[in-house]
Amino acid sequence: TLGPHEMNVLCFTTDLNSSELAAWVQAVGTILAVLAAAAIAVWQSKKQHESALALLKAEKRHAKVEQAKTLLTLSQNCTKAAKHFASQMHDRESVHKIASKETYFDFGELQALQNASTNIPLYSLPSTLLTQAMILGATVRQFKQTVDMGIELHRQMDASQFQELFKTLSEMTESLELTCGDIEVAVQHVEDEA
């Protein structure tokens, strides 16, 4: 603080009386306070923006992991279902019983799996899973088409055609298992990146 002597010296050198000088000091102080408040507000706004961006990035990473896990679960379910359906169609007689409705075959579930696997929103998946998602959808679709064809044409098929049907269903099931394994590896990679 300025004492009476310093105020007189300051007033003398500036041709201001003490009340005028006090007004100037108050004005400068007010300007500095306003500038400091503005700087603090800008700093706080920047920190809030950085925090919001960090939260958004974390949410996107979490969403990618969840989408990847969902694809893995779908591929595992498709593989289990394909094994089950292929085991139901293990010989000529079993195909005939399914076609004549003596044995229950869940065509609705097979259709639902095809719909789920071919309607995956590819744009929302991590890029490392696009190929596997497309392979999954194509394999399930081909599996269903093979089952439908076998049921539809079973009366006209000879022994070699039945063997080809069973071999194709088995190969598709193995393909689904491999795709499921590839998806599992890719999901682990997505989780590690997150």
Side-chain angles (χ1 to χ4, degrees):
T1 63
L2 299 175
H5 175 66
E6 289 85 12
M7 284 296 285
N8 285 336
V9 171
L10 188 57
C11 289
F12 179 71
T13 58
T14 60
D15 291 331
L16 297 175
N17 64 31
S18 62
S19 64
E20 291 173 333
L21 184 61
W24 274 104
V25 169
Q26 184 179 7
V28 170
T30 301
I31 291 170
L32 291 176
V34 168
L35 291 175
I40 290 171
V42 167
W43 179 79
Q44 285 179 333
S45 174
K46 182 179 176 184
K47 288 297 179 187
Q48 286 177 339
H49 180 71
E50 289 171 355
S51 177
L53 282 177
L55 180 62
L56 181 63
K57 286 180 182 179
E59 287 173 350
K60 284 184 177 183
R61 283 192 304 272
H62 178 72
K64 275 187 172 184
V65 170
E66 288 305 309
Q67 290 161 346
K69 286 180 179 180
T70 299
L71 179 62
L72 176 59
T73 301
L74 178 60
S75 70
Q76 290 168 337
N77 290 343
C78 288
T79 301
K80 289 175 191 173
K83 285 179 184 179
H84 172 72
F85 292 135
S87 73
Q88 282 189 287
M89 297 179 72
H90 60 278
D91 61 19
R92 188 177 196 154
E93 184 179 344
S94 64
V95 173
H96 175 71
K97 286 183 176 181
I98 291 169
S100 64
K101 300 188 181 356
E102 291 177 51
T103 300
Y104 177 74
F105 189 90
D106 199 346
F107 289 102
E109 181 62 20
L110 186 54
Q111 181 65 53
L113 289 172
Q114 179 188 350
N115 292 343
S117 63
T118 56
N119 292 325
I120 297 167
L122 298 176
Y123 62 87
S124 69
L125 289 175
S127 59
T128 54
L129 288 168
L130 288 178
T131 301
Q132 288 89 354
M134 293 171 73
I135 291 170
L136 175 67
T139 306
V140 172
R141 179 180 42 77
Q142 291 169 1
F143 186 92
K144 183 185 179 303
Q145 288 172 344
T146 302
V147 167
D148 290 345
M149 182 194 67
I151 298 300
E152 183 180 329
L153 302 176
H154 77 282
R155 292 184 191 271
Q156 302 152 2
M157 293 168 58
D158 61 22
S160 66
Q161 290 170 321
F162 271 103
Q163 288 305 319
E164 186 62 32
L165 171 68
F166 304 139
K167 178 182 171 196
T168 302
L169 291 176
S170 176
E171 288 172 351
M172 287 182 180
T173 302
E174 289 171 14
S175 175
L176 282 171
E177 287 177 329
L178 293 172
T179 301
C180 191
D182 291 343
I183 291 172
E184 192 167 0
V185 169
V187 167
Q188 186 60 49
H189 182 68
V190 169
E191 287 180 319
D192 292 344
E193 286 180 347

